[in-house]
Amino acid sequence: MDRSVSEIGEKARIDFHCVSPDCGTAVEITLADINKEDFQAVCPHCHQTYAFDAVLRNKLRRMLEFVI
């Protein structure tokens, strides 16, 4: 089965808890979005933004390749 990265990317989601005080809402990201130059994770509740450094982005890209 040959699936595109975008098809798998929509299914390859991870989440983490927002670290803002009194929030803790799940912040969900799609691994395929990591490749976008303007990527930034945002808490849907308190709007705290999260920027990932190059090392973490590289690890998440490799995780996406593993899923593919």
Side-chain angles (χ1 to χ4, degrees):
M1 177 186 308
D2 185 25
R3 296 181 290 180
S4 72
V5 173
S6 62
E7 289 174 328
I8 293 179
E10 285 302 313
K11 296 178 182 176
R13 296 177 184 260
I14 60 173
D15 61 73
F16 58 92
H17 293 283
C18 180
V19 297
S20 291
D22 302 320
C23 186
T25 302
V27 179
E28 186 178 277
I29 62 171
T30 303
L31 291 177
D33 290 344
I34 298 295
N35 292 323
K36 295 178 181 175
E37 193 170 315
D38 62 344
F39 172 77
Q40 187 176 53
V42 180
C43 176
H45 179 72
C46 72
H47 307 291
Q48 170 71 36
T49 58
Y50 296 89
F52 301 156
D53 66 12
V55 173
L56 180 56
R57 288 173 70 133
N58 186 43
K59 289 179 181 181
L60 292 171
R61 280 187 200 105
R62 290 188 316 203
M63 184 183 293
L64 177 60
E65 290 174 11
F66 180 72
V67 171
I68 294 172

